[in-house]
Amino acid sequence: MDPLEQLKDIHLPETISIWPLALGWWIIIAIFLGLIAFAGYRYRQHLSYWQVKKQGLSYLSNDEAISSEQALNTLKWICLHYFSRQQVASLHGETLLRFLLTQLPTQVQPKFKVLAQDAIVEHYRRNKHDIYAPQMRQAAILWCQSAQLPKPQDKKLTGGDS
């Protein structure tokens, strides 16, 4: 008798199915989905935080007939969103100009000062003619484009004094 004749065919085991997933895979999927949700949430917060600056710039850029008072009010509105009310609300005249200048890079400050100084100082004087409106509008647009505002992590992401 030949010992090889008693051998039987090799039977392969059944293939292992991917389902149901092991617990480790479910944990990895849950962590991955959580990270995606958190990133989406933070991105939406980031967009909404900078929305005020974009709205102000859009308002100033789209209407060329803006008065110097409207341009100043727009700048103060933007500042009230990014800085505390106590820091911004009482500013006017020269103090407002100095505050706005401190938010700009040093290379932009002289240009902004030339454009905005007369309009800011004359804003609180009785004047029938708004001769500084185009300059103030340009200054406000320059400020919106160049201002170095606090980052969202420096302040509550909702802005202002909520």
Side-chain angles (χ1 to χ4, degrees):
M1 219 160 113
D2 189 14
L4 293 179
E5 287 180 4
Q6 294 179 5
L7 290 178
K8 297 186 179 172
D9 287 336
I10 298 175
H11 295 284
L12 296 175
E14 290 184 26
T15 58
I16 299 173
S17 172
I18 193 168
W19 294 107
L21 287 178
L23 179 63
W25 285 109
W26 285 111
I27 292 172
I28 290 172
I29 290 170
I31 290 172
F32 182 70
L33 291 175
L35 288 173
I36 289 175
F38 180 72
Y41 172 73
R42 293 294 292 191
Y43 182 69
R44 283 185 53 120
Q45 278 187 322
H46 174 78
L47 289 180
S48 67
Y49 184 78
W50 296 110
Q51 183 74 26
V52 171
K53 181 179 173 183
K54 289 178 185 176
Q55 285 176 342
L57 184 58
S58 173
Y59 172 73
L60 292 166
S61 299
N62 292 335
D63 190 3
E64 293 188 20
I66 291 177
S67 69
S68 57
E69 180 179 3
Q70 290 170 322
L72 273 172
N73 287 342
T74 303
L75 285 180
K76 277 192 99 168
W77 174 68
I78 293 169
C79 289
L80 282 170
H81 179 75
Y82 294 105
F83 300 97
S84 70
R85 182 168 294 280
Q86 294 82 13
Q87 191 177 6
V88 177
S90 64
L91 297 177
H92 64 281
E94 287 291 327
T95 56
L96 176 61
L97 179 63
R98 280 194 301 271
F99 176 78
L100 293 172
L101 283 171
T102 59
Q103 308 313 316
L104 293 172
T106 53
Q107 64 269 22
V108 180
Q109 287 179 1
K111 184 176 181 181
F112 178 80
K113 189 172 184 177
V114 166
L115 289 171
Q117 186 169 17
D118 293 333
I120 291 176
V121 171
E122 290 293 322
H123 176 69
Y124 298 99
R125 294 186 184 154
R126 209 173 258 234
N127 192 353
K128 294 180 183 177
H129 306 289
D130 194 7
I131 59 175
Y132 299 111
Q135 292 172 327
M136 188 59 217
R137 181 180 162 271
Q138 287 178 334
I141 290 171
L142 176 68
W143 190 89
C144 286
Q145 292 171 339
S146 305
Q148 297 171 334
L149 300 171
K151 302 285 186 247
Q153 60 268 21
D154 297 342
K155 193 173 186 322
K156 286 183 0 184
L157 284 169
T158 57
D161 286 333
S162 300

